Amino acid sequence: MTSISNTVRCETFSFREVARDGAARAGELKLTHGTVQTPIFMPVGTVGTVKAMRPDELATQVEAQIILGNTYHLYLRPGLDVVRAHGGLHTMMGWDRPILTDSGGYQVFSLKDLRKIREEGVEFQDHISGSYHLFTPEKVIEIQETLGSDIMMAFDECPPAGAEERYMRDSMARTTRWEKRCLEARTRHDCALFGIGQGGTSEQLRREHLEELAPLPFEGMAIGGLSVGEETQAMYDTVEFTTPMMPDEKPKYLMGVGKPEDLVECIARGVDMFDCVIPTRNARNGHCFTSRGVVVVRNAVHKEDLRPLDPDCDCYTCQNFSRSYLRHLLKSGEMLGPQLCTLHNLRYFLTLVGQAREAIVEGRFEAFRKRFHTLQAEGGS
Ligand SMILES: CNc1nc2cc(C(N)=O)ccc2[nH]1
Ligand SMILES: [Zn+2]
């Protein structure tokens, strides 16, 4: 029995599991702006652009299926009036496929001393103009509906790593009250809303929080509170005992994760959706991910290396340019350097999750997982 009086649900949303191989699963997620095959990686487009990528090439060359937009950043700049004048974020940024927007909670909580938490919401001084704002569950739902999000995230607190149990319990209880207010505040029938479970790396706290959230009418459920500095194995262990506590009929989204090996290991533990700034942020410094490990292409060792970044990659960068040329572009501060490395990294992440999906459907995920780690260990020679 849910304690939510608002009957608004997303009528353009559906999710179905297509195949399962151990705890890994392949699914199909239908949203307002299109269909997404899971497991899926979502490139991060913080202020209405996936940095250094044209949206047409993000669709045709990377074959990204869904991207992430940050509510906090878009609310401050360009602001809701500008987004509204364009008819929403999709039109403004030229992206007609699905967009997931986060609630701004994580960004606001990282403002540390520039924010005050109250039952009502979080008061903060923005890092751009210094002006004061108040984010409440109602406000962040209004913002995300104005953006025209396909998937909205509930307003939650992501407690700092290593927080005391007393603090965690109080924070989780307030987050539950905030997430229920998000459900009560929704007005659009074409924007899905995902809940977010907290609890750090504690199995007991994770169970308690999900017992409260799982019965609520969210279309999906996320694991929050991870990738905040905890040991990688602690993150994997937390995912392993948490995914079975989440509603199996809904998509399971692990926020802020991760590196290629994290994607493979968390797909193996039942995660359907991921987002992370690593492929785009690291690309701008020439830190490239490949099937044979990381290649830091701005390093001198690549000065005369005429090979592509990755022999197994079908992307525009790997099909047309050498490591030597990419290094030259990066060292010269040419814009094309970050552009080509970003395109490659995102294509690599999307290809990786696509191959994982195929392996799950064909019942050979364990072999895929072993081969992935073997090739990574070979190193980015
Ligand atoms: C990069 N790590 C990361 N952890 C996150 C946790 C949350 C959350 N809401 O707990 C959101 C975004 C996150 N990004
Ligand atoms: Zn490539």
Side-chain angles (χ1 to χ4, degrees):
M1 169 61 186
T2 64
S3 52
I4 303 301
S5 57
N6 183 3
T7 58
V8 172
R9 303 288 183 272
C10 185
E11 290 153 15
T12 53
F13 178 93
S14 71
F15 175 71
R16 71 184 180 94
E17 186 178 300
V18 168
R20 185 181 278 253
D21 188 352
R25 60 188 202 161
E28 186 173 78
L29 175 58
K30 292 195 173 180
L31 300 164
T32 302
H33 287 85
T35 300
V36 175
Q37 310 294 321
T38 65
I40 191 65
F41 176 80
M42 300 182 279
V44 174
T46 300
V47 289
T49 160
V50 174
K51 289 179 172 47
M53 280 299 309
R54 283 177 35 160
D56 56 342
E57 293 170 356
L58 186 59
T60 60
Q61 300 206 22
V62 170
E63 293 186 297
Q65 298 182 40
I66 178 171
I67 63 173
L68 182 143
N70 286 125
T71 290
Y72 168 79
H73 293 286
L74 288 161
Y75 165 78
L76 293 176
R77 202 168 41 180
L80 292 187
D81 292 345
V82 169
V83 177
R84 199 178 284 115
H86 285 84
L89 182 56
H90 289 86
T91 314
M92 185 175 82
M93 68 180 289
W95 176 258
D96 63 3
R97 296 182 180 183
I99 298 174
L100 178 145
T101 53
D102 70 4
S103 68
Y106 183 75
Q107 279 73 29
V108 166
F109 284 103
S110 7
L111 289 174
K112 293 268 179 302
D113 314 336
L114 291 178
R115 45 98 173 141
K116 238 181 264 133
I117 309 174
R118 304 201 305 253
E119 182 62 29
E120 177 63 7
V122 183
E123 184 180 344
F124 62 95
Q125 187 178 17
D126 90 59
H127 69 291
I128 299 166
S129 71
S131 55
Y132 284 90
H133 305 267
L134 175 66
F135 268 7
T136 64
E138 295 77 18
K139 180 68 180 171
V140 300
I141 293 297
E142 179 203 347
I143 296 170
Q144 295 180 82
E145 290 192 339
T146 301
L147 294 172
S149 172
D150 291 80
I151 300 176
M152 306 184 287
M153 296 309 294
F155 191 60
D156 66 324
E157 178 186 2
C158 173
E164 293 294 312
E165 182 175 338
R166 183 70 264 149
Y167 183 88
M168 292 284 279
R169 288 186 176 282
D170 292 346
S171 169
M172 282 160 52
R174 182 173 51 223
T175 285
T176 300
R177 294 193 293 272
W178 282 352
E179 296 197 25
K180 286 180 176 176
R181 283 168 55 187
C182 288
L183 287 163
E184 296 290 5
R186 53 192 307 194
T187 65
R188 289 185 62 157
H189 296 260
D190 59 354
C191 299
L193 175 58
F194 279 20
I196 305 175
Q198 294 290 345
T201 55
S202 157
E203 187 165 359
Q204 181 54 30
L205 290 180
R206 287 281 172 187
R207 176 172 294 105
E208 287 179 19
H209 205 204
L210 279 165
E211 276 168 1
E212 291 181 312
L213 297 176
L216 298 176
F218 294 111
E219 279 82 18
M221 187 60 71
I223 301 174
L226 291 179
S227 188
V228 290
E230 74 281 355
E231 291 296 317
T232 297
Q233 193 56 50
M235 188 255 281
Y236 293 172
D237 295 345
T238 302
V239 171
E240 184 156 356
F241 60 62
T242 301
T243 50
M245 301 173 187
M246 300 164 78
D248 236 19
E249 74 283 2
K250 299 181 180 182
K252 303 177 186 182
Y253 165 29
L254 176 56
M255 304 182 83
V257 174
K259 296 189 291 295
E261 57 269 28
D262 302 328
L263 300 188
V264 172
E265 287 306 302
C266 293
I267 287 169
R269 291 167 170 83
V271 174
D272 303 307
M273 299 170 69
F274 301 87
D275 86 270
C276 190
V277 295
I278 284 177
T280 38
R281 182 181 292 169
N282 289 21
R284 299 196 290 277
N285 300 318
H287 186 116
C288 298
F289 296 93
T290 80
S291 51
R292 281 146 178 91
V294 171
V295 174
V296 184
V297 77
R298 62 177 306 134
N299 287 351
V301 67
H302 303 295
K303 189 171 183 345
E304 293 169 358
D305 191 335
L306 301 184
R307 295 174 301 166
L309 276 175
D310 187 336
D312 296 342
C313 184
D314 66 354
C315 87
Y316 172 70
T317 301
C318 292
Q319 295 301 312
N320 291 286
F321 305 105
S322 70
R323 297 178 182 196
S324 166
Y325 178 61
L326 293 172
R327 178 179 181 277
H328 159 62
L329 292 174
L330 290 160
K331 299 292 277 183
S332 315
E334 285 296 329
M335 289 187 284
L336 187 59
Q339 289 170 348
L340 292 175
C341 291
T342 298
L343 191 151
H344 164 77
N345 273 1
L346 289 178
R347 178 64 184 162
Y348 175 65
F349 271 58
L350 268 296
T351 300
L352 181 64
V353 297
Q355 290 170 341
R357 187 178 200 275
E358 265 170 41
I360 294 164
V361 169
E362 295 168 8
R364 55 178 177 78
F365 180 75
E366 270 317 303
F368 163 80
R369 180 184 186 186
K370 282 192 179 65
R371 177 167 163 74
F372 167 82
H373 288 298
T374 301
L375 288 178
Q376 288 289 309
E378 277 184 15
S381 54

Tab-separated table of all heavy atoms in Angstrom, residues 313 315 318 344, ligand 2:
chain	number	residue	atom	x	y	z
A	313	CYS	N	38.509	-0.930	-32.562
A	313	CYS	CA	37.460	0.088	-32.477
A	313	CYS	C	37.050	0.559	-33.871
A	313	CYS	O	37.904	0.796	-34.740
A	313	CYS	CB	37.960	1.282	-31.655
A	313	CYS	SG	36.706	2.553	-31.402
A	315	CYS	N	35.412	3.359	-34.470
A	315	CYS	CA	35.010	4.771	-34.441
A	315	CYS	C	35.779	5.600	-35.473
A	315	CYS	O	36.846	5.203	-35.978
A	315	CYS	CB	35.193	5.347	-33.033
A	315	CYS	SG	36.833	5.993	-32.671
A	318	CYS	N	39.511	6.155	-34.603
A	318	CYS	CA	40.402	4.995	-34.806
A	318	CYS	C	40.510	4.600	-36.272
A	318	CYS	O	41.516	4.021	-36.688
A	318	CYS	CB	39.907	3.811	-33.989
A	318	CYS	SG	40.077	4.081	-32.220
A	344	HIS	N	36.052	8.875	-29.424
A	344	HIS	CA	36.515	7.492	-29.234
A	344	HIS	C	36.082	6.923	-27.882
A	344	HIS	O	35.545	5.814	-27.800
A	344	HIS	CB	38.037	7.389	-29.325
A	344	HIS	CG	38.515	6.091	-28.754
A	344	HIS	ND1	38.412	4.885	-29.423
A	344	HIS	CD2	39.014	5.796	-27.523
A	344	HIS	CE1	38.835	3.903	-28.640
A	344	HIS	NE2	39.197	4.429	-27.468
B	2	ZN	ZN	37.952	4.427	-31.422
